[in-house]
Amino acid sequence: DLKSEMNKTRKLPLKKDTRASDSSQEDAIDQWARRRKQFKDSKKCSSTGGSSINSTITEGSINSEDARSVDLGLYSENEDRGFYTENFHSASWVFRGDDVSPDNSPRCLSKRPRPVAIRERTVKIAKGTGNYPWGFRIQFSKPILVTEVDTNSAAEEAGLQVGDILIAVNGTDVTSMPHSEAANLARKGPDILTMIVGSDISRYPNTPKPTCRGYLHKRTQSAILKGWRKRWFVLKHNGYLHYYKHKKDEGKCRPLEVTKLEGAEIGIDTSLGKPFVFKCIPQAGNRIFYFCATSNQEMKRWLEAMDKAVHPIHQNHVWVDVTLHNTTLPPLAIKNPECLGLLHQLDRSKDVWIQHYCILKDGCLYFYATLRSTPAQGGLYLQGYTVSEQSLGSKRSVIELKPPSEEFKTFYLCAENVNENKRWITALKASINKWLPLHQAIQDFMNRPLEETRM
């Protein structure tokens, strides 16, 4: 079943309504284990570029539930082509455009107008108690950036993420507002803080992610021990419900049980004659879970979070949307390309060079069969790659695109002559430099004089 599911989701085909498929953290770990074994057994398959430029995009990672991992597949030539996106989805990237000078801030973190390619969403955060009732930190001005979200806070449960840009607070645009004014606007507003936030093309899909933590009483159905047991429940961003014996066990011990909520049936239950009871019937299996909250408000909080996990919204990364749109265009219809022309790509499995007409645009190399072909056959996301000129076999000048990890594919390209190779190398390096790892961008930006407020 796992193999069948992986085959369904291993490509990102060139179709308008394609959506990246989700997988659980456990599935991702298993996929990574398989890939590592395959890599060790046949290193030449995963460290060299073949004729195929396909990859899988799935949610989940062995390091972070918000990161992405990919199951690399090598395909025969007659299969549909797609994008090789492995390194792009192993980390978050900030698009800084032509601001390649180290003295300049990335475009989305600078005082320039915010980028057009931005996905906006509304976040509503209920005010809690204490000195920081909403549970997040904002820094800087124009734009104002979310730089910290407290664990188990109302902000985390509302789906606020580090790196989000504040666009409006309680209905007032704050993109050109000084930091202090925006903070006062939030503090003087109602107990429900309503913000419009945005993430640029460097970010993951910005669907509010379900998350909820707290103690619930779980009905025990054991033949020996019947009754209700207090347990610490954690609903994770990936839609899986974990529970532990105690709160302190989270992150230190394995959960007692993990349940996938997508497709489950949830609702209030009155059959047990006990208040604040709700049930969950997972899609897989015939087991029924009964939970009891301490209040009606607490029960509603869990039901709302669980409903988001039961009916997740799947959508592409914004950058995937942009590149997929470009593939539907003729080669010369892609606006402002950084380089274009014929390139030969080495198929190491057959030791042959395959000719493509290529378009380079903003860190993406598009492959077409010919100048008049539509749509594109596929492409390569260049984030994190290094470009150099190498000699290979009888060719004394070959373009090597090397990934940051040997487990990813190395691509070898060759233009018509040495001068053309040099032209492509210069353009490829400049295009790759348009992207910066998100953690580096935030760190560089935070080195500026601080304007910060804990909310």
Side-chain angles (χ1 to χ4, degrees):
D1 291 340
L2 176 59
K3 184 177 180 181
S4 173
E5 191 64 24
M6 288 169 64
N7 287 335
K8 291 179 184 178
T9 63
R10 69 191 319 179
K11 290 189 295 182
L12 175 61
L14 307 179
K15 295 181 180 178
K16 183 177 180 181
D17 293 328
T18 302
R19 291 294 179 264
S21 61
D22 294 330
S23 70
S24 69
Q25 185 174 5
E26 289 75 21
D27 288 343
I29 293 172
D30 186 56
Q31 290 176 24
W32 272 95
R34 286 174 175 231
R35 275 191 49 218
R36 291 183 183 280
K37 185 177 185 303
Q38 291 172 355
F39 170 72
K40 291 178 181 178
D41 293 343
S42 182
K43 185 174 180 179
K44 64 180 180 180
C45 292
S46 59
S47 62
T48 59
S51 62
S52 168
I53 43 178
N54 295 300
S55 75
T56 302
I57 298 182
T58 56
E59 292 279 358
S61 166
I62 57 174
N63 295 321
S64 168
E65 64 197 29
D66 287 336
R68 294 199 170 205
S69 63
V70 237
D71 179 36
L72 172 61
L74 299 178
Y75 293 79
S76 61
E77 287 185 43
N78 60 357
E79 290 188 276
D80 294 335
R81 299 291 180 90
F83 276 92
Y84 185 81
T85 64
E86 179 135 13
N87 193 49
F88 177 70
H89 288 286
S90 66
S92 293
W93 294 85
V94 168
F95 181 73
R96 58 179 178 177
D98 297 321
D99 297 342
V100 295
S101 169
D103 296 329
N104 294 330
S105 298
R107 179 178 299 169
C108 71
L109 300 180
S110 71
K111 293 185 178 181
R112 299 186 179 191
R114 59 190 175 87
V116 175
I118 194 167
R119 179 172 282 146
E120 299 180 1
R121 69 188 191 280
T122 300
V123 174
K124 294 186 177 182
I125 307 175
K127 187 175 183 179
T129 58
N131 295 328
Y132 312 115
W134 288 291
F136 67 97
R137 183 199 300 268
I138 56 174
Q139 289 184 269
F140 319 117
S141 294
K142 303 176 186 179
I144 298 169
L145 194 71
V146 177
T147 56
E148 185 178 337
V149 178
D150 296 342
T151 303
N152 301 335
S153 67
E156 184 187 53
E157 292 180 12
L160 194 66
Q161 301 175 41
V162 172
D164 282 338
I165 299 166
L166 264 61
I167 297 171
V169 174
N170 294 330
T172 302
D173 189 300
V174 297
T175 54
S176 300
M177 185 178 292
H179 178 97
S180 57
E181 289 185 24
N184 288 334
L185 189 66
R187 289 188 175 124
K188 294 178 181 178
D191 287 346
I192 301 295
L193 176 61
T194 302
M195 301 187 298
I196 297 177
V197 298
S199 297
D200 60 62
I201 56 179
S202 71
R203 301 288 289 155
Y204 299 129
N206 287 302
T207 305
K209 298 181 178 181
T211 177
C212 203
R213 286 175 169 83
Y215 278 108
L216 290 172
H217 284 82
K218 173 182 167 293
R219 190 186 185 201
T220 303
Q221 300 180 13
S222 169
I224 301 175
L225 299 173
K226 291 185 178 293
W228 297 85
R229 297 291 183 269
K230 187 178 181 181
R231 296 289 181 258
W232 177 256
F233 284 85
V234 179
L235 175 56
K236 299 235 175 176
H237 295 309
N238 58 10
Y240 278 73
L241 183 66
H242 301 233
Y243 77 86
Y244 305 83
K245 192 171 183 180
H246 303 290
K247 178 180 179 179
K248 64 181 181 181
D249 296 336
E250 182 186 351
K252 297 181 180 179
C253 305
R254 293 177 62 87
L256 299 176
E257 193 166 352
V258 179
T259 305
K260 182 179 180 180
L261 293 189
E262 182 174 357
E265 178 185 340
I266 61 169
I268 298 173
D269 185 86
T270 58
S271 64
L272 301 178
K274 189 177 177 69
F276 317 132
V277 171
F278 56 102
K279 64 181 178 181
C280 172
I281 307 175
Q283 195 173 40
N286 56 3
R287 185 176 177 184
I288 303 177
F289 291 91
Y290 292 93
F291 307 106
C292 182
T294 55
S295 67
N296 189 54
Q297 182 180 3
E298 182 73 1
M299 179 180 68
K300 286 183 177 180
R301 182 173 76 94
W302 275 100
L303 286 174
E304 287 176 4
M306 290 176 122
D307 185 66
K308 291 180 182 178
V310 169
H311 305 101
I313 301 173
H314 303 298
Q315 61 182 167
N316 277 343
H317 188 291
V318 180
W319 185 236
V320 174
D321 293 339
V322 171
T323 52
L324 286 180
H325 170 72
N326 285 344
T327 61
T328 66
L329 305 174
L332 300 183
I334 296 179
K335 296 180 179 180
N336 304 318
E338 294 146 25
C339 201
L340 70 168
L342 292 174
L343 283 176
H344 293 79
Q345 180 194 355
L346 177 62
D347 181 348
R348 294 295 292 269
S349 63
K350 300 178 182 178
D351 198 26
V352 296
W353 291 84
I354 301 171
Q355 180 176 284
H356 303 288
Y357 190 84
C358 297
I359 302 288
L360 178 64
K361 169 70 173 175
D362 291 340
C364 183
L365 185 63
Y366 299 86
F367 294 87
Y368 291 84
T370 67
L371 176 61
R372 295 176 175 82
S373 298
T374 303
Q377 292 178 301
L380 169 63
Y381 286 6
L382 297 168
Q383 289 83 357
Y385 273 79
T386 56
V387 187
S388 63
E389 185 178 25
Q390 303 288 341
S391 59
L392 189 67
S394 61
K395 294 183 181 292
R396 64 186 181 90
S397 178
V398 172
I399 303 168
E400 181 186 64
L401 294 173
K402 192 171 184 179
S405 169
E406 62 177 0
E407 289 185 272
F408 302 156
K409 292 176 67 175
T410 300
F411 290 83
Y412 294 95
L413 305 170
C414 186
E416 298 299 315
N417 53 57
V418 174
N419 288 335
E420 276 292 287
N421 274 351
K422 293 184 183 297
R423 180 175 73 92
W424 273 100
I425 288 173
T426 301
L428 286 164
K429 287 181 177 179
S431 194
I432 291 171
N433 281 340
K434 289 188 174 186
W435 293 85
L436 192 69
L438 178 64
H439 66 86
Q440 182 182 339
I442 291 180
Q443 185 60 47
D444 292 347
F445 194 65
M446 289 177 69
N447 289 334
R448 294 172 51 189
L450 285 182
E451 298 174 285
E452 69 171 25
T453 303
R454 285 195 66 98
M455 304 298 292

